[in-house]
Amino acid sequence: MGVELAESLWDCEEDALLFAVEHAPDGPEVRCRLAELQESPVESEELRTAAARRLAGGNH
């Protein structure tokens, strides 16, 4: 399931994307994508906050 979660970090559905942000296995590619999502002006505040929280060490 880890691969599917990591792939969901590029999903267009916000619910799937948010779930992936919170649950994808940690790794360099995932952290890079989380950083992109955290800074993305097109993503919701909720999603950007979740990405920032995950990068800070929460939700692993």
Side-chain angles (χ1 to χ4, degrees):
M1 181 175 213
V3 172
E4 292 87 359
L5 281 172
E7 289 177 2
S8 291
L9 289 170
W10 283 266
D11 203 295
C12 63
E13 295 292 329
E14 183 159 355
D15 289 344
L17 189 51
L18 185 58
F19 188 83
V21 164
E22 294 173 345
H23 300 286
D26 198 24
E29 185 177 337
V30 168
R31 295 187 69 72
C32 181
R33 181 62 178 152
L34 290 172
E36 291 172 355
L37 292 169
Q38 175 187 343
E39 299 297 324
S40 176
V42 299
E43 300 300 345
S44 70
E45 181 67 28
E46 179 183 16
L47 188 69
R48 292 192 313 266
T49 299
R53 183 174 48 244
R54 177 74 189 273
L55 284 168
N59 291 3
H60 309 256

